[in-house]
Amino acid sequence: LLDVVMPRQFPWATMRRRPPGLWRYREALPLGATAEPVALGEPETPLVDISAGGPRVYLKLDFLFPTGSFKDRGAAVLMTKARELRVARVIEDSSGNAGAAIAAYAAAAAISAGIYVPEGASPAKVAQIQRYGASVVQVPGSRADTARAAMEAAQAAYYASHVWNPFFLEGTKTVAFELWEQLGRRVPDWVITPVGHGTMVLGLSKGFLHLRDAGMTDAVPRLVGVQAATCAPLVQGSRGDLTLPPVVEPGVTQADGIAVGQPTRWRQILRAIADSAGFWTAVSEEEIRESHLAWARRGLLIEPTSATATAAYQRLAAEGVFGGHQRVVVVVTGSGIKTASQRL
Ligand SMILES: Cc1ncc(COP(=O)(O)O)c(C=O)c1O
């Protein structure tokens, strides 16, 4: 596994003069000075105050991107890098949202894309990927079989994997910069997010540490990682001192975006949560369903995968985990429109 190490610069006086959105932070991104962003109009995603007395609570609507999930942050930066490197073809493997994001940004960059998906991936997400012009290869067997097939194909192409390619995480880290800015150039006390392969939680961790090392904040938020109880290798792994990767056989879950039985970056993810003084929690299928429905009844259709985080917030708030003066952000990672026709 590789990581990008770059100077912790954050020239705010220059950045603030640009339009809002992830490209305003380009000095904090590992792109050449002349690299032209592969852009599809990425907004600064809204931060909505849902406080109801007690702590200040915000939803970060990070699904309001062109393809309907936060994965566009990673895909936009990764495909910008790929174009800078004059890549002609990329390979990615994904159960849905990351594949759609890579397919869309590959199309925007005029790079051909092959997306490997496990057989049984959400038909709506597969159709979305195909519509962007990517070739889709459905691989029988497990998610790990899909990854193996993609890696083989990537011998002859650029592996634009959201899991392995470190430029993806450089894109997702911009969510931390936006939160800092939207909260009046202060970081929140807590951030709650779903975790599968960890691109959001690692992005949050990298972004907040970047801000701290650049002198923009003294503190970093405590990160809460949420998994579905039927597929929670990291929740289990966080309980012991591991030398081997945590592995589970994914059970049935509505949270298909985080049904990852063997997270590749497990060590890094566990460390990110522990170093932030955060913790892990698992939510049941009933909690996911209830939270998904409750938000839909308030007008916000969120992906069931994202409802793991809203459900966890609900329970933790009831348990009194958050202090009255604290600021809590729940990241809403995916749009519910893609999965609206699925049975709950
Ligand atoms: C909607 C949604 N939320 C959260 C995640 C979790 O992201 P990660 O697997 O990078 O931890 C995913 C991953 O696909 C997703 O699709």
Side-chain angles (χ1 to χ4, degrees), residues 93-99 115-118 120-122 125-126 129 143 146 162 256-260:
D93 52 289
S94 150
S95 59
N97 283 332
I115 310 292
Y116 286 64
V117 300
S122 148
K125 288 177 183 168
V126 172
I129 294 169
R143 177 69 182 79
T146 305
H162 64 290
D256 63 339
I258 53 171
V260 178

Side-chain angles (χ1 to χ4, degrees), residues 250-263:
V252 174
T253 178
Q254 301 153 86
D256 63 339
I258 53 171
V260 178
Q262 186 169 355

Side-chain angles (χ1 to χ4, degrees), residues 70-71 97 162 194-200 257-258 303 305-306 333-334:
F70 78 95
K71 302 278 187 185
N97 283 332
H162 64 290
V195 183
H197 270 300
T199 66
M200 171 53 78
I258 53 171
E303 194 171 323
T305 301
S306 313
T333 49

Side-chain angles (χ1 to χ4, degrees), residues 67-211:
T67 79
S69 89
F70 78 95
K71 302 278 187 185
D72 288 9
R73 292 186 186 277
V77 170
L78 172 50
M79 294 314 301
T80 298
K81 195 70 196 172
R83 189 162 69 180
E84 194 187 327
L85 298 171
R86 299 186 192 287
V87 164
R89 179 169 172 76
V90 296
I91 299 292
E92 153 76 316
D93 52 289
S94 150
S95 59
N97 283 332
I102 292 290
Y105 282 85
I111 292 175
S112 95
I115 310 292
Y116 286 64
V117 300
E119 225 174 38
S122 148
K125 288 177 183 168
V126 172
Q128 183 188 9
I129 294 169
Q130 282 169 326
R131 199 58 66 86
Y132 292 127
S135 55
V136 172
V137 181
Q138 303 215 19
V139 183
S142 69
R143 177 69 182 79
D145 292 326
T146 305
R148 260 192 297 280
M151 273 195 210
E152 219 159 278
Q155 300 297 324
Y158 184 76
Y159 194 24
S161 163
H162 64 290
V163 178
W164 288 87
N165 193 306
F167 292 111
F168 197 93
L169 300 178
E170 295 299 302
T172 56
K173 81 180 182 190
T174 56
V175 67
F177 302 158
E178 281 180 27
L179 286 172
W180 167 82
E181 207 183 319
Q182 289 173 309
L183 291 171
R185 276 178 275 149
R186 278 178 51 207
V187 300
D189 297 286
W190 297 89
V191 183
I192 305 173
T193 182
V195 183
H197 270 300
T199 66
M200 171 53 78
V201 76
L202 289 174
L204 286 162
S205 168
K206 271 176 181 281
F208 288 125
L209 291 176
H210 187 116
L211 287 171

